[in-house]
Amino acid sequence: GQNIDQPTEMTATEGAIVQINCTYQTSGFNGLFWYQQHAGEAPTFLSYNVLDGLEEKGRFSSFLSRSKGYSYLLLKELQMKDSASYLCAVMDSNYQLIWGAGTKLIIKP
Amino acid sequence: IAGITQAPTSQILAAGRRMTLRCTQDMRHNAMYWYRQDLGLGLRLIHYSNTAGTTGKGEVPDGYSVSRANTDDFPLTLASAVPSQTSVYFCASSPDRGPGELFFGEGSRLTVL
């Protein structure tokens, strides 16, 4: 079966760095996405990786290793507004998105 | 403001009732989707539409139906609601089906008693 695993919850301190991991097993691979979802709101797109390596976008970076079925989202200089759930999703060979349950990130002052 | 509009935002209804969740987008996207989000689970695809006039079944289609009469509208209907359909429903769209960013509506919180 297809599966996406990510930690349920993480806690970090304002100003610090946090890495949220995602491992996947899917039927085919057409890219990996990260979305941010604040409580009670809609998910919003953060990043897309289809080739191995690191993609940097401001304070957020996303890494992909296709051979290991592994990705991480790196958040630097954490701010209180980064408190949210972070959703990992993989697009399979049928162009269907398989979603992880999300990682709730709690930022403490 | 361009985007996706869902209605209603929240609804409580009795089991057995018929309910339609509305979704409208003004971005002229070809592909549209309906997801449900439940605590502890990832988003699950209910139905999708690659383009106006076509629809397809997702991971959890039972008990739901959709139509795509035009590019902008993609309503989701629960013919006879059951308590297990209590969830938050998100409509989303993308320029085309395939790799690319999904744009989500604000969600519709549905409670079936």
Side-chain angles (χ1 to χ4, degrees):
Chain A
Q2 305 200 94
N3 193 50
I4 309 289
D5 285 317
Q6 50 180 132
T8 302
E9 187 175 295
M10 299 181 70
T11 302
T13 303
E14 189 177 15
I17 299 173
V18 70
Q19 177 176 311
I20 302 174
N21 296 326
C22 171
T23 58
Y24 63 89
Q25 290 178 306
T26 57
S27 302
F29 181 83
N30 278 300
L32 185 143
F33 298 79
W34 285 97
Y35 281 78
Q36 181 189 59
Q37 185 177 25
H38 286 99
E41 298 183 7
T44 56
F45 172 80
L46 287 178
S47 67
Y48 170 66
N49 295 68
V50 67
L51 299 176
D52 289 352
L54 187 69
E55 296 275 347
E56 296 185 79
K57 190 185 297 185
R59 294 188 299 113
F60 291 10
S61 302
S62 56
F63 172 83
L64 174 67
S65 169
R66 288 173 296 172
S67 62
K68 295 182 179 179
Y70 168 71
S71 172
Y72 67 73
L73 182 69
L74 191 71
L75 291 72
K76 302 176 184 177
E77 301 170 14
L78 286 170
Q79 303 175 9
M80 297 304 293
K81 67 179 182 179
D82 297 330
S83 292
S85 289
Y86 292 85
L87 314 181
C88 175
V90 173
M91 183 162 280
D92 69 12
S93 57
N94 294 318
Y95 295 107
Q96 177 161 327
L97 275 174
I98 311 301
W99 295 82
T103 298
K104 182 178 181 180
L105 179 62
I106 299 168
I107 310 295
K108 295 186 175 181
Chain B
I1 298 177
I4 297 183
T5 303
Q6 289 185 232
T9 303
S10 179
Q11 182 74 47
I12 300 173
L13 75 161
R17 298 299 294 267
R18 180 183 180 89
M19 178 72 195
T20 295
L21 303 180
R22 301 183 298 279
C23 176
T24 300
Q25 55 105 356
D26 61 3
M27 297 176 284
R28 308 304 293 172
H29 285 173
N30 285 317
M32 296 188 75
Y33 315 83
W34 274 106
Y35 286 96
R36 60 178 290 173
Q37 187 173 43
D38 302 289
L39 196 63
L41 299 177
L43 287 162
R44 292 183 291 171
L45 183 66
I46 305 170
H47 285 286
Y48 65 91
S49 170
N50 290 340
T51 189
T54 70
T55 62
K57 293 182 179 181
E59 180 186 356
V60 288
D62 293 344
Y64 305 94
S65 64
V66 292
S67 61
R68 187 87 184 276
N70 57 61
T71 297
D72 299 344
D73 301 301
F74 191 44
L76 176 73
T77 297
L78 289 69
S80 179
V82 295
S84 62
Q85 292 178 311
T86 294
S87 187
V88 179
Y89 292 86
F90 286 101
C91 180
S93 72
S94 60
D96 294 289
R97 184 165 170 82
E101 178 182 352
L102 286 185
F103 296 81
F104 284 86
E106 289 304 309
S108 296
R109 181 174 295 275
L110 187 65
T111 302
V112 183
L113 300 177

